[in-house]
């Protein structure tokens, strides 16, 4: 198939893909917009016919005088032309409004699909896979801003009905009023213009899609510069010029090759299409003029010339449809690519448990949680985090995990929570593979606070109750968890108490200090414990507390979590010394383990790191932080 044939086939296939999304807009709305565009296509043709008839009858009407049948014919033709023009002007705003409604409905459904795909995987591997972030970012950006969205593509496709209807109407007028060869020539000229426009735009869009990663990077720098999160550091550290240079470099990284491709694709080829179109249009115009000299009546001559000019105008760029139908589906293709990639992450099944078989209910650990010969690497990474990791977390006790940055401490939490599954080996609870439990049932047994815990822009009560969403309305339990975490008094003092939104930009809202937010996160975990969780996982739970506040907290924390299986990750050895059992990770393996006293006596890596921190904090002065509430 030649280039033209492939382009035509691609264009037709693209139109069908867009049409496949129209049911999302609803049959009634789609039909209304289609009928409106059909009328908008017919009205310009009716205007040309009516004005041509009017102009053709003027000489005889002038000769016959006012009140004659000829004069009435001119008046009626003028009335029809005026009515067609007025109706066209009235329908245009309605077309725009209905098109916007179609776009919003379709984009809303596509956004639902994107969110469903993001949440469909029981783990977070697809959301951290670098190969998918470009597709996810491109889809989310276009759907959010909407200028080149799938919904705009659907509205643009329906808007094409008006253009196509007008073109076919003009061609029919030329054929009936003059000659069909002339109609064919004008149609060929318009199609040549349109091929230059759409064919070039199609190839141009393919070039733009190649640079999705660079565009995402430039958007990152732009949003970083315009956002409030980084505003303080940008100004204090003098990063304004650096940020401007980074944004300019990232922007030019993709815009320069796109500009070059646009010149190559659009400039020279479109010159040839223009020459051909003008030649065909000139031939028809000259032929029509000669026919007029040979005796063609004025009505036919004016009709043909107006139809030729009207048809040629339809070879132009269509601002309501061209960019939308060409680029709008890029976001949908990105959504489809992300959906398919998410589906390629199947839920893992343990040996001996066929997929789909009824799984046992998750219960609280009675003996131990064990990592057996676990090998794991993140998607797209060649270096494994764990390569044959073996460790045991005793049930009903507090186990601390320590190690230098990059030792794999947080990854252990992700595997325990089944946000990822190991590529080899297994994580077992009392001998049962975690993958044998329903994911939701096992997670209901977990109370996890990550180092980068979420700060929800909702009420203080909901921020705590999200630890067990099925008990969201249990205010007494929320207050008890807040009291356990030492944050109840602070939250009560807010303008609306526990109902205060924890977001300063929300009306009536308030923000908390870093230490106070950490206590809210701890209350969230304690709320989960009070609601049936039996395994508590804390990743750097007191990073925002000073050393003495941290020590006081853990004195109370031991009492609150006496019967829970606790996994504590911290870089502060003043914290982990309270644990029953301490595991030192190094390069993805257990380097040493034991109680604090045992590890100190061994004088190994743990003892070395403990003494370094003890020396550093030995001379610390007490910190007067009245914003913190201690327990």
């Amino acid at each position: 198939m030649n280039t033209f044939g492939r382009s035509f086939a691609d264009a037709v296939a693209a139109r069908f893909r867009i049409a496949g999304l129209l049911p999302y807009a609803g049959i009634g709305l789609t039909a209304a917009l289609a009928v409106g565009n059909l009328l908008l296509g017919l009205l310009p043709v009716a205007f040309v016919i009516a004005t041509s008839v009017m102009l053709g009858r003027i000489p005889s009407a002038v000769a016959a005088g006012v009140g004659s049948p000829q004069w009435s014919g001119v008046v009626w033709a003028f009335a029809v032309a005026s009515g067609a023009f007025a109706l066209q002007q009235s329908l245009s705003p309605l077309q725009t409004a209905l098109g916007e409604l179609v776009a919003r409905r379709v984009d809303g459904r596509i956004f639902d699909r994107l969110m469903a795909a993001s949440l469909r995987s029981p783990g977070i591997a697809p959301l951290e896979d670098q190969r998918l972030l470009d597709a996810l970012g491109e889809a989310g950006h276009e759907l959010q801003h909407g200028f080149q969205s799938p919904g705009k593509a659907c509205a643009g496709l329906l808007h094409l009905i008006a253009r196509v209807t007008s073109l076919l109407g003009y061609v029919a007028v030329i054929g009936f009023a003059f000659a069909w060869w002339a109609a064919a020539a004008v149609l060929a000229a318009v199609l040549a213009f349109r091929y230059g426009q759409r064919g070039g735009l199609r190839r141009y869009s393919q070039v733009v899609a190649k640079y999705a990663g660079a565009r995402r990077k430039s958007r990152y720098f732009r949003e970083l510069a315009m956002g409030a999160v980084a505003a303080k550091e940008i100004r204090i550290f003098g990063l304004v010029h650096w940020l401007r240079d980074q944004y300019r470099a990232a922007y030019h990284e993709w815009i320069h090759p796109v500009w070059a491709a646009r010149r190559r694709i659009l400039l020279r080829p479109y010159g040839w299409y223009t020459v051909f179109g003008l030649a065909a249009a000139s031939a028809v115009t000259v032929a029509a003029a000669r026919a007029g000299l040979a005796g063609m009546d004025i009505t036919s001559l004016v009709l043909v010339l107006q139809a030729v000019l009207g048809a040629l105008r339809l070879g132009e760029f269509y601002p309501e449809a061209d960019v939308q139908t060409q680029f709008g589906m890029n976001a949908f293709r990105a959504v489809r690519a992300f959906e398919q990639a998410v589906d390629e992450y199947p839920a893992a099944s343990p040996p001996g448990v066929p997929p789909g078989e009824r799984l046992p209910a998750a219960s609280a650990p009675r003996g131990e949680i064990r990592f057996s010969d676990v090998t794991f690497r993140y998607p797209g990474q060649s270096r494994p985090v764990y390569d044959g990791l073996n460790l045991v977390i005793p049930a009903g006790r507090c186990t601390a995990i320590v190690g230098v940055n990059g030792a794999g401490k947080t990854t252990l939490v992700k595997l325990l929570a089944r946000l990822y599954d190991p590529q080899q080996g297994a994580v077992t609870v009392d001998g049962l593979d975690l993958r044998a439990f329903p994911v939701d049932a096992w997670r209901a047994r977990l109370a996890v606070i990550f180092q980068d815990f979420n700060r929800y822009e909702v009420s203080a009560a909901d921020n705590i109750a999200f630890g067990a969403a099925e008990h969201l309305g249990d205010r007494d339990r929320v207050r008890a968890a807040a009291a356990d975490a030492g944050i109840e008094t602070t939250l009560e003092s807010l303008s609306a108490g526990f109902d205060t939104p924890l977001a300063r930009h929300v009306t009536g809202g308030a923000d908390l200090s870093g230490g106070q937010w950490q206590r809210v996160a701890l209350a969230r975990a304690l709320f989960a414990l009070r609601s049936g969780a039996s395994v508590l996982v804390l990743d750097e739970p007191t990073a925002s507390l000073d050393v003495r506040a941290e020590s006081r907290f853990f004195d109370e924390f031991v009492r609150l979590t006496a019967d829970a299986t606790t996994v504590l990750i911290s870089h502060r050895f003043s914290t982990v010394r309270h644990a029953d059992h301490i595991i030192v990770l190094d390069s993805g393996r257990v380097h040493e383990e034991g109680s604090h006293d045992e590890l100190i006596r061994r004088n190994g890596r743990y003892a070395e790191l403990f003494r370094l921190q003890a020396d550093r904090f030995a001379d610390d002065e007490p910190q007067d932080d009245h914003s913190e509430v201690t327990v």
Side-chain angles (χ1 to χ4, degrees):
M1 185 181 295
N2 58 27
T3 302
F4 176 80
R6 284 194 299 271
S7 297
F8 181 77
D10 290 344
V12 172
R15 299 299 186 276
F16 274 107
R17 285 193 293 270
I18 296 172
L21 299 179
L22 285 173
Y24 284 162
I27 296 176
L29 179 59
T30 301
L33 184 55
V35 171
N37 279 294
L38 181 64
L39 289 174
L40 282 172
L42 291 172
L43 289 172
V45 180
F47 178 82
V48 165
I49 294 174
T51 54
S52 298
V53 170
M54 180 185 67
L55 291 172
R57 292 180 176 178
I58 285 178
S60 59
V62 170
V66 177
S68 64
Q70 292 85 349
W71 188 268
S72 298
V74 170
V75 172
W76 275 108
F78 176 79
V80 171
S82 300
F85 179 78
L87 186 56
Q88 182 180 0
Q89 298 305 307
S90 301
L91 284 177
S92 291
L94 180 62
Q95 176 205 40
T96 301
L98 292 178
E100 186 65 26
L101 186 55
V102 165
R104 289 180 180 273
R105 284 190 180 181
V106 173
D107 287 343
R109 296 291 296 274
I110 300 299
F111 226 132
D112 288 344
R113 287 180 57 171
L114 183 62
M115 291 181 63
S118 300
L119 298 171
R120 184 157 61 235
S121 172
I124 61 174
L127 301 178
E128 294 188 338
D129 190 338
Q130 292 297 323
R131 296 170 298 178
L132 305 183
L133 289 181
D134 286 345
L136 181 61
E138 186 77 7
H141 178 267
E142 296 300 345
L143 286 170
Q144 182 178 0
H145 295 283
F147 177 65
Q148 298 172 357
S149 66
K152 292 292 187 181
C154 290
L157 181 66
L158 293 175
H159 290 331
L160 285 175
I161 293 174
R163 300 282 190 163
V164 172
T165 301
S166 292
L167 176 60
L168 295 179
Y170 290 137
V171 168
V173 166
I174 296 170
F176 282 111
F178 181 44
W180 287 106
W181 70 262
V186 170
L187 179 61
V190 174
L191 293 180
F193 281 123
R194 289 297 297 158
Y195 177 74
Q197 288 278 2
R198 286 310 306 266
L201 193 59
R202 190 176 306 113
R203 292 189 293 275
Y204 173 67
S205 71
Q206 294 167 355
V207 173
V208 172
K210 286 172 55 179
Y211 295 94
R215 293 170 65 204
R216 181 163 62 91
K217 184 167 69 172
S218 68
R219 285 199 301 269
Y220 164 74
F221 286 119
R222 182 179 65 221
E223 291 165 3
L224 186 68
M226 297 171 62
V229 175
K232 296 187 292 292
E233 288 195 4
I234 289 172
R235 287 156 177 79
I236 292 171
F237 295 140
L239 299 177
V240 173
H241 295 295
W242 175 86
L243 188 58
R244 185 184 297 123
D245 291 342
Q246 291 297 311
Y247 172 67
R248 183 183 293 111
Y251 184 75
H252 287 172
E253 181 182 345
W254 71 269
I255 198 63
H256 280 308
V258 166
W259 280 343
R262 182 170 60 185
R263 288 191 295 269
R264 183 180 66 255
I265 292 171
L266 297 178
L267 188 58
R268 184 176 300 175
Y270 198 76
W272 290 110
Y273 302 135
T274 303
V275 170
F276 171 74
L278 289 176
S282 299
V284 173
T285 303
V286 170
R290 288 180 175 176
L293 294 174
M296 176 185 286
D297 62 88
I298 295 177
T299 297
S300 299
L301 180 59
V302 173
L303 182 60
V304 171
L305 292 177
Q306 283 200 95
V308 169
L309 293 175
L312 289 178
R313 286 189 66 251
L314 293 172
E316 66 183 359
F317 172 76
Y318 299 167
E320 78 281 8
D322 282 351
V323 170
Q324 292 85 339
T325 55
Q326 185 58 54
F327 288 91
M329 292 302 285
N330 288 349
F332 181 65
R333 282 191 290 271
V335 171
R336 289 282 303 275
F338 183 72
E339 286 177 327
Q340 293 169 3
V342 169
D343 293 338
E344 290 174 2
Y345 286 88
S349 296
V353 180
E357 185 174 304
R358 184 177 178 83
L359 301 172
S363 59
R366 294 185 176 86
E368 65 180 21
I369 300 173
R370 179 181 291 271
F371 286 68
S372 301
D373 296 321
V374 168
T375 296
F376 174 77
R377 64 173 53 84
Y378 284 103
Q381 302 294 318
S382 58
R383 177 176 171 271
V385 180
Y386 300 136
D387 188 5
L389 173 67
N390 290 282
L391 66 81
V392 175
I393 299 171
R397 301 177 66 191
C398 178
T399 300
I401 310 294
V402 299
V404 298
N405 291 338
K409 303 186 296 296
T410 299
T411 300
L412 186 139
V413 179
K414 293 178 180 179
L415 294 177
L416 183 59
R418 285 207 63 197
L419 297 175
Y420 284 96
D421 287 317
Q423 281 90 28
Q424 295 178 23
V427 182
T428 61
V429 177
D430 297 331
L432 284 174
D433 195 310
L434 271 189
R435 290 167 293 187
F437 299 117
V439 173
D440 291 340
W442 168 245
R443 288 176 181 163
R445 291 291 181 182
L446 296 178
V448 182
I449 295 299
F450 288 99
Q451 184 175 0
D452 53 346
F453 59 86
N454 282 347
R455 303 184 181 197
Y456 297 101
E457 295 183 357
V458 295
S459 70
D462 286 349
N463 259 286
I464 294 173
F466 281 168
E470 63 273 18
H471 300 288
L472 203 60
D474 193 335
R475 189 55 65 90
D476 290 337
R477 195 175 301 181
V478 166
R479 290 181 178 276
D484 290 342
I487 195 65
E488 181 183 23
T489 303
T490 299
L491 299 182
E492 284 283 15
S493 67
L494 299 177
S495 59
F498 277 80
D499 293 319
T500 304
L502 298 185
R504 193 179 301 278
H505 64 272
V506 176
T507 303
D511 202 1
L512 303 178
S513 70
Q516 290 169 337
W517 262 114
Q518 194 135 35
R519 290 183 181 276
V520 170
L522 289 167
R524 191 181 302 156
L526 296 174
F527 183 85
L529 278 182
R530 287 176 169 271
S531 303
S534 55
V535 179
L536 178 62
V537 183
L538 301 175
D539 186 358
E540 300 287 1
T542 56
S544 295
L545 303 181
D546 63 74
V547 177
R548 289 166 179 77
E550 175 191 54
S551 179
R552 291 193 296 269
F553 171 80
F554 271 100
D555 288 341
E556 183 68 11
F557 176 79
V558 171
R559 180 186 66 81
L560 296 172
T561 61
D563 298 326
T565 301
T566 305
V567 179
L568 172 62
I569 294 175
S570 179
H571 68 283
R572 288 183 177 177
F573 288 85
S574 58
T575 299
V576 302
R577 67 181 299 173
H578 295 273
D580 301 310
H581 189 67
I582 301 170
I583 297 173
V584 181
L585 288 183
D586 187 19
S587 300
R589 292 178 178 272
V590 175
H591 185 72
E592 55 184 345
E593 58 182 313
S595 68
H596 170 76
D597 293 336
E598 290 171 345
L599 292 174
I600 290 294
R601 285 195 297 270
R602 290 178 192 171
N603 202 28
R605 179 64 169 161
Y606 175 85
E608 176 189 358
L609 295 174
F610 179 82
R611 292 189 185 102
L612 285 173
Q613 282 199 4
D615 291 342
R616 188 177 68 183
F617 291 120
D619 299 327
D620 274 2
E621 294 295 329
Q623 299 181 28
D624 184 16
D625 185 1
H626 297 293
S627 66
E628 301 294 340
V629 179
T630 58
V631 297

